[in-house]
Amino acid sequence: MRINLLPGLAVGVLLLAGCSSSNQLSAAGERVTFVDQQPGSQCQLLGNVTGSQSNWLSGSGGEGSSLRGAANDLRNRAAEMGGNVIYGATSPTQNLLSAFAPLDSKMSGQVYKCP
């Protein structure tokens, strides 16, 4: 008796691919902006935050799309903290392993609440 696993495997892969998604920007996250200059004294520093985009199931999807997902997550998290400005956003550089395996993309920055 021979069992054909290919159709079952294909369905499983499609189901897993359907579960993967990029981070969507929330309504509150849309009001958070990135700035290049450190906010002035009228702004309150709320803390540091890191956003990430999992690339394991979705594949790398290109560096731009994975960093966009990490930026969306960062903006959403900043909004949850009550912030509306992100200063000093950075993303760790890609390493040799990331060329072969779809690792998470991350972005971090300082969250401020400005009037």
Side-chain angles (χ1 to χ4, degrees), residues 59-82:
S60 63
E63 185 176 340
S65 65
S66 61
L67 284 178
R68 184 174 21 258
N72 286 348
D73 188 41
L74 179 62
R75 290 172 69 187
N76 291 341
R77 290 175 186 258
E80 290 170 6
M81 293 173 63

Side-chain angles (χ1 to χ4, degrees), residues 13 15 18 53-54 80 93 108:
V13 168
L15 286 174
Q53 168 67 48
S54 175
E80 290 170 6
T93 59
S108 20

